[in-house]
Amino acid sequence: MAKRSKFQSPTGMHDILPENQKYYKRIYDVVSDIADFYGFGKIDTPIVEETELFSKGIGLATDIVKKQMYTLKTRGGDSLALRPEGTAPIARAYIENGMQSRPQPLKLWYFGPFFRYERPQAKRYRQFWQFGFEALGEKSPVIDAQIIQIFYNILRELKLKNLLVEVNSIGDSQCRPYYKKLLASYFRTREASLCFDCKRRLRENVLRILDCKEEKCQPIKAEAPQILDHLCDECRAHFKEVLEFLDEIEIPYNLNPYLVRGLDYYTKTVFEIFLEKTSNGEISQSALAGGGRYDKLIKLFRGKETPACGAAAGIERIIDLMKSQKIKLPSETEPQIFLAQLGSLAKRKSLKLLESFRKSKIKVAESFGRDSLNAQFNRADKLGVKYTLILGQKEALEEVVIIRDMKTGKQETVKLDKVVEKMKKRLKK
Ligand code: HAM
């Protein structure tokens, strides 16, 4: 058994090893291409923010703020939090950088690590990566549909299959308070039959009862009043238009009256994207992406009233799926040439030759640390290169190099200063 090392990465946080970097890179490339197409500019905000930004923005009664924030006191006595999400920081950056005065909507995207002190379990990490899109300063429902379309397109472009978009509207300050009252009085008369957590939710945030997964709460939920029947005219018209746009762009969706999201800043449209079924046929519980409209957040941070809409996706969850759906990444160029050397003069010349190949953008593998030719040939075999270049003591003195065709075994000796050109021609064939 391997000896346990003294130090381990913190619970729920992982190293991203070289063999996994290609997934992050692939997702980054697809996301940045799509962002560019739809006119979103990239933004990076600090990894920490004032704790109050999140408690105020996400909501004091939410799980994220109550249980999942990593907070720290600075030497100067400020309370900072590792960012658990990206929307509140973007709202802050929008106000702080005077972005209200730029042409609206202002469209921003981000890609980076986020932190939540979650109970360790599958698909929930304490450090995870998200990419997100935020469109600020646009009230038209067309942007809600476009955000959904962007996330759907990214996941499709990554070749993920069986995606399911769930949408709902949770109203606004005109209609939600009344609906919450209705809901609270409905659940209060059935409180004894609710699960432990829902009894707490009844006092703290009654809407959250709607996304409870406990068996015993399901029949009670099923009979509860539904928000779509209680939206005000403005919210109803807005939602109807969002759905019409989605129909027009042929995004398949389900209306889910229980979708309420775990952050308090949402108004009107909310959505999540799931996998329709997991590989063993079960309904998937963990969303790949989620978001919605947050028309009051900028005002809450003392900015001008600014309607906005956005979403974020969990990169590790996407990578898990890419692996389980056996999605192939576009092939990376593997080196076709191996450079073998023997003796100190040859090693020096090889170092220089490698630089000439790099400048010509030709990938060349080597193992300069090894001195045995046999060990180097074995490595060339393992890599499956087409050609091995051999630079021994004699060749180094004569300023030549041997090109060996690994398939036919044929060898040719060429001048050292001509070998890059020669290999360029051979690789083109
Ligand atoms: P969220 O639903 O909390 O929304 O997170 C978005 C996505 O991040 C989730 O659907 C999930 O894929 C991933 N995610 C969240 N927590 C974890 C975790 N512990 N481990 C792995 N993946 C996770 C937001 O963060 C909002 N800021 C989205 C938004 C943007 N709304 C408007 N604009």
Side-chain angles (χ1 to χ4, degrees):
M1 212 165 101
K3 218 169 138 193
R4 199 162 164 248
S5 75
K6 192 165 172 216
F7 295 113
Q8 290 184 307
S9 63
T11 306
M13 302 192 181
H14 304 283
D15 302 311
I16 308 174
L17 300 179
E19 59 270 30
N20 279 325
Q21 293 288 346
K22 58 185 180 215
Y23 288 96
Y24 288 80
K25 179 171 184 301
R26 171 72 184 143
I27 295 172
Y28 187 93
D29 289 347
V30 167
V31 171
S32 62
D33 273 1
I34 290 193
D36 194 41
F37 178 84
Y38 288 102
F40 283 72
K42 183 152 186 262
I43 182 165
D44 289 310
T45 59
I47 298 246
V48 288
E49 296 274 355
E50 274 179 62
T51 305
E52 204 193 334
L53 179 84
F54 297 115
S55 47
K56 200 166 173 186
I58 301 171
L60 278 170
T62 59
D63 281 354
I64 297 182
V65 170
K66 270 178 57 178
K67 306 183 202 159
Q68 299 177 344
M69 275 211 292
Y70 284 89
T71 52
L72 59 105
K73 269 250 172 326
T74 65
R75 284 169 199 274
D78 298 331
S79 173
L80 300 181
L82 292 186
R83 57 182 189 183
E85 63 100 48
T87 311
I90 297 241
R92 184 220 18 93
Y94 177 81
I95 301 168
E96 186 174 339
N97 296 290
M99 291 197 260
Q100 297 103 317
S101 54
R102 300 190 189 183
Q104 307 287 304
L106 190 84
K107 296 170 161 185
L108 300 169
W109 73 281
Y110 50 94
F111 190 106
F114 291 84
F115 305 85
R116 293 183 193 175
Y117 192 81
E118 302 255 17
R119 250 187 308 138
Q121 52 181 301
K123 309 216 190 318
R124 284 194 188 278
Y125 306 107
R126 290 184 176 174
Q127 176 174 344
F128 56 97
W129 286 61
Q130 276 189 349
F131 62 81
F133 284 68
E134 313 286 350
L136 302 119
E138 176 62 76
K139 68 174 195 308
S140 163
V142 72
I143 210 85
D144 309 33
Q146 204 175 38
I147 293 280
I148 297 174
Q149 182 186 35
I150 285 173
F151 278 81
Y152 189 77
N153 284 351
I154 289 172
L155 298 173
R156 290 301 306 250
E157 187 76 23
L158 289 168
K159 307 272 183 290
L160 292 176
K161 291 185 286 280
N162 307 327
L163 299 171
L164 182 70
V165 180
E166 304 220 310
V167 282
N168 192 20
S169 170
I170 56 166
D172 65 4
S173 52
Q174 282 188 65
C175 48
R176 201 184 321 152
Y178 172 71
Y179 173 67
K180 277 170 86 172
K181 259 192 207 152
L182 261 184
L183 208 56
S185 69
Y186 169 83
F187 284 122
R188 217 171 285 127
T189 56
R190 293 154 182 86
E191 184 169 354
S193 320
L194 292 173
C195 73
F196 178 78
D197 279 337
C198 282
K199 287 187 178 132
R200 179 178 51 81
R201 290 179 185 126
L202 184 52
R203 281 181 301 277
E204 288 176 356
N205 187 354
V206 65
L207 278 183
R208 295 291 291 173
I209 299 183
L210 294 179
D211 68 2
C212 174
K213 305 284 184 297
E214 282 291 324
E215 192 96 6
K216 66 185 296 197
C217 297
Q218 302 314 306
I220 314 173
K221 257 171 59 176
E223 301 290 317
Q226 295 202 351
I227 179 106
L228 293 182
D229 298 327
H230 298 278
L231 292 178
C232 59
D233 289 347
E234 187 190 319
C235 288
R236 185 176 307 113
H238 185 97
F239 194 48
K240 184 165 166 276
E241 271 194 80
V242 173
L243 299 183
E244 283 166 4
F245 286 127
L246 291 178
D247 288 333
E248 186 64 37
I249 51 182
E250 294 178 17
I251 304 274
Y253 61 83
N254 266 354
L255 282 184
N256 179 354
Y258 302 129
L259 181 68
V260 288
R261 309 269 304 133
L263 306 97
D264 283 355
Y265 48 61
Y266 291 110
T267 47
K268 296 183 176 157
T269 320
V270 287
F271 79 96
E272 282 183 341
I273 304 182
F274 291 87
L275 194 66
E276 207 163 4
K277 275 192 196 114
T278 59
S279 46
N280 38 21
E282 289 163 15
I283 307 272
S284 164
Q285 301 283 1
S286 45
L288 294 171
R293 189 162 264 290
Y294 47 97
D295 290 345
K296 304 283 180 234
L297 185 62
I298 311 279
K299 181 97 184 281
L300 186 70
F301 290 160
R302 305 231 169 88
K304 256 188 6 204
E305 177 112 34
T306 308
C309 186
I315 293 172
E316 284 77 8
R317 292 186 186 175
I318 294 175
I319 294 176
D320 271 1
L321 260 189
M322 288 171 78
K323 288 183 177 171
S324 71
Q325 295 191 353
K326 300 204 168 41
I327 290 166
K328 284 217 175 79
L329 301 180
S331 63
E332 287 178 17
T333 48
E334 296 296 340
Q336 311 265 20
I337 302 171
F338 188 89
L339 176 53
Q341 41 70 41
L342 188 69
S344 58
L345 179 63
K347 203 182 289 254
R348 288 210 298 274
K349 297 218 179 261
S350 297
L351 267 180
K352 201 166 164 202
L353 181 58
L354 191 68
E355 278 310 289
S356 313
F357 276 112
R358 186 184 60 76
K359 284 182 189 144
S360 300
K361 300 203 173 4
I362 300 176
K363 262 196 181 175
V364 174
E366 44 75 24
S367 49
F368 289 163
R370 288 185 194 171
D371 289 326
S372 134
L373 263 187
N374 259 347
Q376 296 182 64
F377 289 160
N378 278 344
R379 177 106 187 97
D381 267 344
K382 273 213 184 97
L383 290 172
V385 293
K386 273 193 180 150
Y387 302 98
T388 299
L389 305 180
I390 306 160
L391 196 61
Q393 278 153 336
K394 179 167 167 282
E395 287 78 21
L397 280 172
E398 291 172 7
E399 300 266 323
V400 293
V401 61
I402 300 169
I403 304 172
R404 181 184 170 86
D405 185 317
M406 299 297 277
K407 209 161 162 196
T408 62
K410 268 198 196 151
Q411 299 200 159
E412 183 190 355
T413 303
V414 298
K415 281 244 169 277
L416 199 52
D417 57 2
K418 294 280 179 299
V419 68
V420 174
E421 276 314 301
K422 193 101 189 164
M423 293 315 297
K424 232 187 223 168
K425 279 193 197 129
R426 285 210 185 192
L427 291 175
K428 254 194 200 143
K429 273 187 203 160

